[in-house]
Amino acid sequence: MSDSLRELWLRGVAFNPAAPSDVLIRLMDRAAGEVGPLMCEGRDLPDAVVDAALRHPAGKVRGALALNRYVDPARLAPLATDPSGIVRYRLAVGPRPALDGYDHCRTASSSPS
């Protein structure tokens, strides 16, 4: 399997809502590449996966979790004392705004015809 196909396959598993927690936890390993951080930032995670990410040795995984919009902010509180300044910064910045594809400004400025 080519590296790009492997990466796509791993992303598919990481974002599959039916994937078991133990599989998602293994995807945080360095061998899975960027899949772990992408998953930790971009999807709703089971409690066991959040717990594993909070204790993960890689700051990249913890920093990605700090930007996750689906995790209750109270669960992310331990990251406020993380040894990595980058992780603490990401927690302070918080998640990126949702891109829902809806142009709110255009709709508000449209006049009825």
Side-chain angles (χ1 to χ4, degrees), residues 3-113:
D3 286 341
S4 61
L5 182 58
R6 179 180 180 272
E7 178 83 11
L8 291 172
W9 185 80
L10 289 174
R11 284 184 187 197
V13 172
F15 285 88
N16 181 342
S21 295
D22 62 321
V23 171
L24 298 178
I25 291 169
R26 286 192 303 238
L27 288 174
M28 288 189 266
D29 189 68
R30 278 179 58 190
E34 293 299 311
V35 172
L38 288 172
M39 174 188 68
C40 286
E41 180 179 347
R43 67 163 282 184
D44 190 15
L45 297 167
D47 289 339
V49 179
V50 173
D51 292 340
L54 286 169
R55 296 186 311 270
H56 200 277
K60 195 169 193 175
V61 169
R62 297 188 314 276
L65 182 68
L67 297 174
N68 188 312
R69 76 178 66 259
Y70 305 103
V71 177
D72 179 13
R75 296 283 321 275
L76 301 176
L79 296 177
T81 58
D82 194 273
S84 168
I86 294 171
V87 173
R88 294 189 312 269
Y89 169 78
R90 288 183 173 177
L91 182 65
V93 169
R96 296 182 181 106
L99 299 175
D100 60 3
Y102 188 75
D103 189 350
H104 299 279
C105 294
R106 179 177 296 238
T107 303
S109 66
S110 297
S111 60
S113 300

